[in-house]
Amino acid sequence: MLKRIRTAVLVSGGGTNLQAIIDAAADGRIRHAELALVAASNPDAYALVRAERAGIPTAVVSRKAYLDAAAFENALLSVLREKGIELIVLAGFMTILSADFIRRYENRIINVHPSLIPSFCGKGYYGLRVHEAALAYGVKVTGATVHFVNEIPDGGAIIAQKPVMIRKNDTPETLQRRVMERAEWKLLPRALELVSIELAKSKQK
Ligand code: GAR
């Protein structure tokens, strides 16, 4: 049996992607990642309730509590180190991490984005805004992407993608929900398991 990879999920909001990961861990679809920490950038994030219910340790590292981005990231890094975190999942985490932070977890941070990258991604494209942009452009297909995080926002290597068809009467809200249900909640747990297996194998060597 490979050793499980100590994983932190970073969240800022509702945490439905976190829930998808928790459910996948509970029913055996995730076997190589150990959910060791949920860290929120927002003390009111409902994701914290989901984590507590699942018995996962939580931490709040609020950007507003720190003078600058460097102080915030140092606080986050010390929580991650304290918990021995080896892999980070950004699941609706709304703060862009610096190149300096990312270098410390090179190829060990994955993110879910609610479009088919390279469309509707990068700075300023997050949450509902992504779906508003897809509808405004008039694309007929959108979807979700899980990718490694590098210093370019939404620019790291793609791990998995899933398309979702746009319907004539879609609003940003209906589209967001369908992209989550049909793509994100399936893709993210699968990608996490795949990456964890690879990390666990390389640790064993
Ligand atoms: C998800 O749709 C996620 O893909 C998106 O925010 C939502 C978070 O929902 N992330 C981004 O836009 C990142 N650029 P959740 O808190 O319910 O998982």
Side-chain angles (χ1 to χ4, degrees):
M1 175 67 185
L2 292 168
K3 260 194 140 177
R4 291 190 300 164
I5 301 299
R6 288 182 66 81
T7 302
V9 184
L10 271 49
V11 295
S12 300
T16 64
N17 278 289
L18 167 67
Q19 190 65 54
I21 291 171
I22 291 171
D23 294 347
D27 70 20
R29 281 173 292 140
I30 291 178
R31 294 195 300 126
H32 294 84
E34 175 187 356
L35 302 179
L37 176 70
V38 169
S41 63
N42 158 20
D44 302 320
Y46 186 69
L48 289 168
V49 176
R50 297 181 191 273
E52 276 156 22
R53 248 196 243 141
I56 304 167
T58 60
V60 175
V61 186
S62 165
R63 172 66 185 84
K64 285 184 203 143
Y66 298 91
L67 275 182
D68 54 25
F72 162 74
E73 289 189 348
N74 278 335
L76 186 56
L77 277 172
S78 72
V79 175
L80 296 170
R81 272 200 217 107
E82 207 176 282
K83 291 278 176 200
I85 298 302
E86 301 166 282
L87 174 63
I88 298 171
V89 180
L90 306 183
F93 187 65
M94 295 304 173
T95 305
I96 291 182
L97 296 166
S98 72
D100 207 39
F101 182 101
I102 292 162
R103 228 173 286 126
R104 291 168 196 256
Y105 278 92
E106 212 180 349
N107 293 323
R108 286 169 178 267
I109 310 177
I110 67 174
N111 178 48
V112 61
H113 182 77
S115 75
L116 294 175
I117 289 175
S119 290
F120 312 117
C121 64
K123 207 163 179 269
Y125 286 99
Y126 56 86
L128 210 53
R129 288 181 185 213
V130 178
H131 304 290
E132 284 165 358
L135 291 176
Y137 197 97
V139 291
K140 305 300 176 209
V141 185
T142 185
T145 304
V146 179
H147 63 92
F148 285 107
V149 172
N150 67 6
E151 66 289 352
I152 303 159
D154 297 324
I158 290 173
I159 301 165
Q161 291 187 299
K162 198 166 192 294
V164 173
M165 298 304 289
I166 287 179
R167 293 180 187 159
K168 215 171 65 209
N169 297 322
D170 264 330
T171 63
E173 290 78 9
T174 62
L175 185 57
Q176 180 181 50
R177 180 77 194 176
R178 210 162 59 258
V179 168
M180 283 177 157
E181 281 174 2
R182 303 217 173 162
E184 295 183 51
W185 299 343
K186 293 180 179 156
L187 214 53
L188 185 58
R190 255 187 243 148
L192 171 55
E193 176 64 0
L194 282 176
V195 171
S196 303
I197 290 173
E198 288 312 310
L199 286 177
K201 278 189 200 157
S202 68
K203 216 163 91 167
Q204 209 187 27
K205 277 179 197 161

